[in-house]
Amino acid sequence: MATEKSKTQSKPKLSVTAKIDRMIDREDAKVKAYASVNLGGEFVIKDIAVEDGQKGMFARMPFRSYKGANGETKYSDIVFAITDSARHSIEDAVIGAYREALGESEDESPTQSM
């Protein structure tokens, strides 16, 4: 007889790493950068936008836009986290990579201007 796993049994935490693929240099841009996320060394999500929103920086997952029957633009998520913990893990990795890249670009700026 097969045994059913307990719903309270914890899942192993997924390894999440992020890297910034490109920075957006315009000061007035809402999107500050685009990132890629590696999930457990087995799956990659590209084109995650780092946005500066009303509540601060956040990671916006990729989406597709299309025109509805009445010509109105609609949006459909391509990739999304199912659980809050997964969403937080991805967002923390992306924002951390952005802050690190931002620090590196600020460190390079004085040398480039010489």
Side-chain angles (χ1 to χ4, degrees):
M1 182 195 291
T3 59
E4 187 178 318
K5 288 186 180 179
S6 168
K7 291 184 180 188
T8 59
Q9 187 177 16
S10 64
K11 296 178 185 176
K13 185 169 165 80
L14 183 65
S15 158
V16 178
T17 57
K19 74 173 191 160
I20 299 300
D21 297 323
R22 62 189 182 277
M23 299 285 282
I24 307 300
D25 291 332
R26 289 188 8 242
E27 187 97 9
D28 62 336
K30 188 174 181 179
V31 174
K32 302 300 182 184
Y34 287 93
S36 296
V37 169
N38 182 311
L39 302 173
E42 297 187 23
F43 194 81
V44 173
I45 303 171
K46 297 182 72 65
D47 291 331
I48 297 174
V50 178
E51 284 196 17
D52 191 6
Q54 292 177 352
K55 296 181 181 179
M57 302 299 282
F58 69 98
R60 188 197 73 219
M61 298 302 267
F63 64 89
R64 181 179 348 212
S65 63
Y66 61 95
K67 297 287 183 189
N70 62 358
E72 179 183 341
T73 301
K74 298 191 175 221
Y75 300 93
S76 175
D77 292 334
I78 295 172
V79 178
F80 53 90
I82 294 173
T83 65
D84 281 344
S85 64
R87 183 176 51 81
H88 288 301
S89 294
I90 292 169
E91 188 159 285
D92 291 347
V94 169
I95 299 303
Y98 172 72
R99 289 187 175 131
E100 188 175 308
L102 195 59
E104 287 174 7
S105 68
E106 288 174 358
D107 290 345
E108 292 173 6
S109 294
T111 340
Q112 291 176 353
S113 62
M114 290 183 167

